Amino acid sequence: MFERLLKSHKYRDYSPIKDFSIKELRDICDILNEYCKDNIGYKKHKKLPTFSVRKDYSGNYYGQYCPTKHRINIYYNNIDNLKKFVGTYIHEYTHSVQNLRYYSHKLINYGYTQHPDEIEARNMELLHYKSCLKYLRSKI
């Protein structure tokens, strides 16, 4: 019981990411992948995306989805807390189910902030992060 209490304290919204090991962050991503599969869906012909948790040496990105590798990259060193980590995962996972064929063309026309795929991904973050965090806590 005491161990579970300690773990639940560690998994608060604003728990610093620096308090988690890389293994713990990968385990969290496994759970987030489960949540997203069940609540956002996935492309059956592509299966679930793979993911990596790594440093971004440019310091510019929280995460990135690579459609050619069907891979989500989460840059933990740019993320302050668990809430942002979960939101970033949901955001990038959303890109994995979008049709990104004309992403670059839309980026030129709309810019990043007004890009329809980015707007959808930000909306999915807002829609799902609370229930996703609750799901994550239930799995620890």
Side-chain angles (χ1 to χ4, degrees):
M1 168 116 170
F2 183 68
E3 183 180 317
R4 182 146 174 86
L5 183 62
L6 284 175
K7 278 187 175 183
S8 66
H9 180 72
K10 187 174 182 176
Y11 286 80
R12 290 188 170 170
D13 291 10
Y14 295 100
S15 294
I17 286 302
K18 64 181 172 125
D19 291 352
F20 294 90
S21 70
I22 298 297
K23 183 189 180 326
E24 287 174 313
L25 294 175
R26 286 186 186 122
D27 291 344
I28 289 169
C29 287
D30 274 331
I31 294 168
L32 299 179
N33 228 12
E34 272 179 45
Y35 173 89
C36 289
K37 177 187 87 168
D38 294 341
N39 294 278
I40 296 173
Y42 64 100
K43 292 181 177 181
K44 292 186 180 17
H45 67 283
K46 280 194 166 186
K47 309 266 188 237
L48 289 177
T50 59
F51 60 83
S52 71
V53 178
R54 57 174 58 168
K55 281 189 175 184
D56 169 33
Y57 293 102
S58 73
N60 297 326
Y61 302 101
Y62 294 135
Q64 188 175 39
Y65 172 68
C66 178
T68 55
K69 294 182 179 177
H70 195 48
R71 184 175 193 82
I72 295 169
N73 297 309
I74 302 294
Y75 303 114
Y76 69 91
N77 64 311
N78 297 334
I79 298 173
D80 294 332
N81 56 56
L82 185 60
K83 177 182 176 183
K84 189 65 184 171
F85 188 90
V86 169
T88 299
Y89 196 91
I90 294 167
H91 181 106
E92 300 308 332
Y93 187 95
T94 300
H95 289 316
S96 79
V97 297
Q98 292 172 326
N99 180 355
L100 299 177
R101 185 172 182 180
Y102 299 107
Y103 184 92
S104 296
H105 180 71
K106 292 177 193 174
L107 188 60
I108 292 166
N109 289 333
Y110 298 107
Y112 181 81
T113 308
Q114 295 302 314
H115 193 295
D117 295 329
E118 294 300 335
I119 291 170
E120 180 185 16
R122 287 191 297 271
N123 288 339
M124 293 301 274
E125 278 184 66
L126 293 173
L127 180 66
H128 287 282
Y129 88 87
K130 283 183 183 176
S131 59
C132 189
L133 276 165
K134 185 176 179 180
Y135 180 81
L136 172 63
R137 289 182 195 114
S138 76
K139 295 293 186 171
I140 57 169

